[in-house]
Amino acid sequence: MHELGIMESALGLVQRCAAERNARRVERVVLRIGTLSGVDPDSLRFAFEVVSRGTSAEGADLDIESVPATAYCKGCQEEFTATAADFVLRCPNCSVLCGDVRRGREIELSRLEFT
Amino acid sequence: MSNNTPTSADETSLGYEIHPLSGAAVLPGASLSAPLSAEISAAFSASPDGEVAVRSLDLRIPLLEKNDILAERNRGYFLGRGLSALNLVSSPGAGKTTLLERTLDDFALQTRCAVLVGDLETDNDGNRLRRPHVPVAQITTGTVCHLDAGMVARAAQSIDLGGVRILFIENVGNLVCPASFDLGEQVRVVLLSSTEGEDKPLKYPPIFKSAHLVLLTKIDLADALGFKREIAIQNIRRMAPQARIIELSARSGKGLQEWYSFLRGLAPAN
Ligand SMILES: Nc1nc2c(ncn2[C@@H]2O[C@H](COP(=O)(O)OP(=O)(O)O)[C@@H](O)[C@H]2O)c(=O)[nH]1
Ligand SMILES: [Mg+2]
Ligand SMILES: [Zn+2]
């Protein structure tokens, strides 16, 4: 699915950054993936194994930091973070359902470690 | 690699990170400039005893940046032309093409519309939608399970958008992947048909959370199927409180006037 394409662009960036810094080997790749990004972490892991094969990132650790959904409550003028796994974003203060999602859609290459 | 090499992994709670090699405080999201980095790399890539230090680099690069930039470009282009683009997303068979056929035969007689239609393999939908008064471009995506902003930009350039006020973009039938890809639309429309079950909104949070409008389609079948409309609507409200909801049937015509008046509200007076 689309995780393969996303991982391909991640690996392209990883290799470019690593090459610019004369890296020998990429040791760790850290991604930040929002729980509302529509991207599946397991599919990303699988895709990473596939696309990193034969590159300087083969065998590197892939860390996927999950970014929880955060919404803004207009009434309370406050952000809150989803606690339940069902993604129903109800303000813990006033119980109103909130559709203004402020975080949780991230699909980011966060950090690299290399030697 | 050596075992006890420093990394900045544990420093994030400070609000900044101490770069392990330069000792510089680095804000999350910032990266070292290339020349500094190269210097550090030369100095540290091998210590005298042959051990190789692990270097850490903060990037914070959005992986769909290219798509997002193209999407913003599309949005500006559409706005500049005074047209509203709608991205129609649903599971296969929820009724996107049928609703568009009907809309082109009624609504599009008064307000000029155009269609971009994505499909994995065939151009059937494009043929169903073709009308003398409607420019239509088919986007065959092959194995790609969603449209992206680049495909939309190319397809939009292949048709005559002169006088067009509403651009319908029928996405590939899929409730997962299209959620991540902004096309530059003004309105994201998610269709849910009464044949799909009431709990579907709860199973696909990303797409429903990104919807401006949810269309509950094939409402003519609801009774025969024992489809519980109130529960479906309650689930949509829970998952997508930001979205407007319209119940309709392209077959019976129920709800179509509401859909058309929604469209009229988008189309700037010409
Ligand atoms: N009963 C009924 N059937 C519909 C309605 N809209 C679409 N269909 C049928 O549902 C099937 C799939 O519709 P289609 O428009 O091709 O779905 P798409 O894949 O989302 O474009 C077709 O057989 C349509 O005739 C409707 O409002 N009522
Ligand atoms: Mg279709
Ligand atoms: Zn509140």
Side-chain angles (χ1 to χ4, degrees):
Chain A
M1 307 274 271
H2 63 312
E3 282 82 358
L4 195 59
I6 288 171
M7 212 59 221
E8 272 168 359
S9 58
L11 195 79
L13 285 167
V14 165
Q15 287 185 290
R16 212 186 67 209
C17 291
E20 280 170 8
R21 288 159 181 85
N22 303 313
R24 295 173 199 182
R25 232 178 79 79
V26 177
E27 302 290 343
R28 184 183 304 276
V29 175
V30 185
L31 305 181
R32 291 178 80 237
I33 303 295
T35 54
L36 284 176
S37 65
V39 173
D40 175 44
D42 287 338
S43 306
L44 282 179
R45 282 180 212 288
F46 175 74
F48 181 69
E49 268 183 38
V50 174
V51 301
S52 67
R53 221 164 270 160
T55 74
S56 60
E58 181 168 358
D61 292 328
L62 177 68
D63 289 358
I64 300 182
E65 292 173 0
S66 176
V67 184
T70 297
Y72 180 76
C73 175
K74 241 192 257 165
C76 300
Q77 304 200 340
E78 242 175 319
E79 285 186 2
F80 63 94
T81 297
T83 44
D86 63 3
F87 298 108
V88 175
L89 299 175
R90 203 181 278 283
C91 174
N93 228 10
C94 69
S95 296
V96 161
L97 288 164
C98 299
D100 184 356
V101 176
R102 295 291 171 92
R103 273 188 296 285
R105 294 195 167 116
E106 295 78 356
I107 306 174
E108 284 178 6
L109 173 58
S110 176
R111 201 164 55 84
L112 280 188
E113 288 175 18
F114 53 91
T115 49
Chain B
M1 72 177 269
S2 66
N3 291 324
N4 303 314
T5 48
T7 75
S8 65
D10 301 324
E11 318 274 350
T12 42
S13 57
L14 298 172
Y16 57 85
E17 303 181 1
I18 303 299
H19 193 276
L21 301 178
S22 66
V26 184
L27 285 174
S31 58
L32 288 173
S33 68
L36 175 56
S37 201
E39 221 172 275
I40 293 168
S41 130
F44 285 86
S45 58
S47 56
D49 58 3
E51 290 216 327
V52 182
V54 173
R55 291 173 284 161
S56 177
L57 183 66
D58 290 306
L59 293 165
R60 287 278 178 105
I61 302 173
L63 291 171
L64 293 180
E65 198 171 38
K66 272 188 201 140
N67 185 77
D68 293 345
I69 290 169
L70 284 174
E72 286 309 330
R73 192 188 291 175
N74 287 347
R75 207 175 334 270
Y77 178 72
F78 296 149
L79 278 172
R81 297 198 68 109
L83 63 82
S84 293
L86 291 86
N87 178 8
L88 280 76
V89 183
S90 77
S91 299
K96 299 181 296 298
T97 309
T98 308
L99 176 64
L100 288 181
E101 288 178 276
R102 190 79 200 243
T103 305
L104 297 181
D105 290 336
D106 305 341
F107 177 82
L109 299 177
Q110 274 84 52
T111 304
R112 196 163 166 79
C113 298
V115 187
L116 312 178
V117 50
D119 209 343
L120 293 172
E121 292 296 345
T122 69
D123 55 3
N124 293 345
D125 284 359
N127 293 333
R128 281 167 64 189
L129 292 165
R130 211 146 273 137
R131 306 277 187 284
H133 61 291
V134 182
V136 176
Q138 173 81 41
I139 306 170
T140 306
T141 59
T143 57
V144 181
C145 49
H146 56 87
L147 293 180
D148 66 35
M151 298 174 192
V152 166
R154 282 190 297 278
Q157 266 147 39
S158 76
I159 57 173
D160 175 15
L161 289 176
V164 169
R165 289 288 163 262
I166 300 280
L167 176 65
F168 296 107
I169 306 169
E170 179 178 337
N171 215 315
V172 179
N174 181 342
L175 279 178
V176 180
C177 310
S180 309
F181 291 85
D182 186 2
L183 305 181
E185 72 268 25
Q186 269 84 54
V187 183
R188 188 172 289 187
V189 186
V190 176
L191 290 80
L192 172 68
S193 73
S194 62
T195 59
E196 294 175 74
E198 301 86 359
D199 56 351
K200 206 135 192 194
L202 306 179
K203 293 180 180 160
Y204 297 89
I207 194 71
F208 279 92
K209 292 239 178 263
S210 69
H212 301 98
L213 172 66
V214 176
L215 300 179
L216 202 47
T217 63
K218 306 192 195 179
I219 209 71
D220 59 296
L221 298 177
D223 289 343
L225 293 169
F227 179 77
K228 300 178 194 66
R229 294 173 36 245
E230 303 72 30
I231 295 184
I233 287 173
Q234 195 186 340
N235 286 338
I236 296 167
R237 290 233 166 87
R238 284 173 68 202
M239 197 46 67
Q242 77 289 347
R244 169 143 178 216
I245 303 172
I246 299 177
E247 298 176 62
L248 55 76
S249 164
R251 179 86 31 105
S252 73
K254 183 177 184 288
L256 289 181
Q257 290 311 318
E258 197 181 347
W259 161 241
Y260 296 153
S261 78
F262 175 86
L263 294 175
R264 237 172 267 121
L266 297 174
N270 29 342

